[in-house]
Structures are given as structure tokens and as C-alpha cells.
């Protein structure tokens, strides 16, 4: 069994924002693999959808805590299913330090100032797989970081993000098979 945990904010007002790119990805996965989202599961602090990818049971997770508290959800799921974060957990999140069109995969690491990753690291340790999706654009220079990540994508950016989905899915399939290579690509 694998867990794919998306970072994002649960409130409808955050839909379509840079900070919710992880939710966008797992929503696409749920659609493709026939998963339906549960109502909030309080014991997991999340909505979950069960799917099969590569013949493996995969739990897609959208925490119902805010972005900076997603470690609570990860800890509850890892404990409940007795999983090893180093092999069984993949986190998908936006990356302010990477330009839009860049995807970076990693197997562990520091939080690099990302409070959601800081929460995850404090709850499950730093050893878990990550897909970091670059969201930086010229607009970032004109606003503070919090305002930038909480702003909605414009239509051009939405199209660009949607075009990244096939590459992100390739990484997800590799993760489920236990063959995720850690690299950076620019699309």
C-alpha cells in the first residue's frame, strides 16, 4: 500500500491557488483511476480516495488541516496503516523556489522554509518521497511570498499546470513501482 499526500488548503476559497497544486494533481488521479473522495475522515484529518495504480492499493490524501499542519494527517495515516514513510509515502506540493514548468523529485530533505514540509518532517521525519512542482513566475517579484502562493493561477498558468500532469503521473507510477528516480526537469 502507498500513500500519495497532497499539500493544500481545504477551504473552497483556496481552489485554483498555487498552494493547492498538490490537490489539483490528486484530483486528476482520482478521476483517472475511478476514486471518489470520502467525506472528511476525522481520524486522518483528511479526505481520502482509494485507487489501484500498477496493481497496488494507493490512498490519495487531501488533508483537511491547513497547509502548514499537514503532518498531522500524514502521521495518522502512517500509524494506522503501519507504513514506512521512506518507501510508502509520496508528497506532492508547490515549490516557490522553482520556476513554473520545473518538476523536482526527491527522496528526503529539509523543509527549505516550506511550513507544510516542516510540519511533515516534524511528524514523520524527513525521509519520504516528494514531487515538487515549480510555481514561481514574474508575478512573484511583485508580491510577498504568502500572497503569491495563495493567489489563483491565471488561465495561461492553469493550462501550463494541466500540461504537466502526464509527466507527474509518470513519476507517480514510478513511485508506486518502487522506481522513482530523483531528478529535476523543465517542461
Amino acid at each position: 500500500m502507498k500513500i500519495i499526500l497532497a499539500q493544500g488548503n481545504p477551504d473552497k476559497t483556496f481552489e485554483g491557488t498555487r498552494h493547492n497544486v498538490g490537490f489539483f494533481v490528486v484530483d486528476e488521479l482520482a478521476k483517472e483511476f475511478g476514486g471518489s473522495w470520502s467525506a472528511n475522515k476525522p481520524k486522518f484529518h483528511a479526505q481520502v480516495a482509494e485507487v489501484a495504480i500498477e496493481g497496488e492499493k494507493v490512498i490519495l490524501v487531501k488533508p483537511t488541516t491547513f497547509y502548514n499542519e499537514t503532518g498531522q494527517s500524514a502521521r495518522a495515516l502512517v500509524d494506522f496503516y503501519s507504513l514506512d514513510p521512506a518507501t510508502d509515502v509520496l508528497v506532492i506540493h508547490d515549490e516557490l523556489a522553482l520556476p513554473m514548468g520545473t518538476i523536482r523529485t526527491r527522496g528526503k530533505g529539509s523543509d527549505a522554509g516550506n511550513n507544510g514540509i516542516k510540519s511533515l518532517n516534524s511528524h514523520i521525519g524527513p525521509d519520504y518521497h516528494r514531487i515538487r512542482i515549480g510555481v514561481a513566475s514574474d508575478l512573484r517579484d511583485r508580491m510577498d511570498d504568502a500572497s503569491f502562493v495563495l493567489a489563483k493561477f491565471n488561465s495561461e498558468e492553469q493550462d501550463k499546470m494541466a500540461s504537466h500532469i502526464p509527466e507527474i503521473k509518470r513519476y507517480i507510477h514510478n513511485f508506486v513501482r518502487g522506481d522513482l528516480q530523483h531528478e529535476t526537469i523543465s517542461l
Side-chain angles (χ1 to χ4, degrees):
M1 176 188 306
K2 304 288 184 190
I3 291 176
I4 299 176
L5 185 139
Q7 295 236 251
N9 287 308
D11 192 284
K12 292 264 187 218
T13 60
F14 296 104
E15 285 180 8
T17 65
R18 291 173 179 84
H19 236 12
N20 276 35
V21 73
F23 281 17
F24 173 71
V25 171
V26 295
D27 281 339
E28 291 298 311
L29 289 172
K31 282 183 216 170
E32 179 177 339
F33 294 102
S36 58
W37 292 104
S38 68
N40 179 24
K41 296 266 188 186
K43 71 180 175 183
F44 296 142
H45 310 282
Q47 288 184 293
V48 298
E50 290 185 18
V51 298
I53 301 174
E54 299 284 335
E56 177 91 31
K57 180 178 178 180
V58 176
I59 299 177
L60 306 175
V61 181
K62 293 194 301 188
T64 53
T65 61
F66 283 93
Y67 191 103
N68 295 346
E69 302 293 330
T70 54
Q72 295 173 32
S73 180
R75 175 84 270 156
L77 286 154
V78 164
D79 288 350
F80 183 82
Y81 290 106
S82 300
L83 299 174
D84 178 0
T87 57
D88 301 326
V89 175
L90 173 67
V91 174
I92 302 173
H93 67 92
D94 63 293
E95 181 54 66
L96 190 57
L98 295 174
M100 184 168 289
T102 303
I103 300 170
R104 179 174 289 163
T105 56
R106 291 286 180 259
K108 61 181 174 179
S110 71
D111 60 67
N114 181 315
N115 289 327
I117 299 297
K118 187 179 292 183
S119 175
L120 285 160
N121 287 355
S122 73
H123 283 85
I124 64 171
D127 297 333
Y128 52 89
H129 293 278
R130 303 158 195 206
I131 296 178
R132 300 164 58 189
I133 302 169
V135 296
S137 69
D138 294 338
L139 184 59
R140 180 175 180 217
D141 297 335
R142 292 181 267 163
M143 48 184 24
D144 64 87
D145 290 349
S147 296
F148 180 76
V149 297
L150 295 176
K152 293 187 183 293
F153 286 117
N154 64 36
S155 61
E156 182 181 321
E157 292 170 326
Q158 287 173 345
D159 292 345
K160 192 165 192 172
M161 277 299 144
S163 74
H164 299 347
I165 294 295
E167 191 64 29
I168 294 167
K169 285 179 183 176
R170 182 181 68 82
Y171 284 123
I172 289 167
H173 282 271
N174 291 345
F175 163 73
V176 171
R177 286 192 305 261
D179 188 31
L180 180 61
Q181 301 300 309
H182 299 125
E183 62 188 11
T184 302
I185 63 166
S186 294
L187 304 173

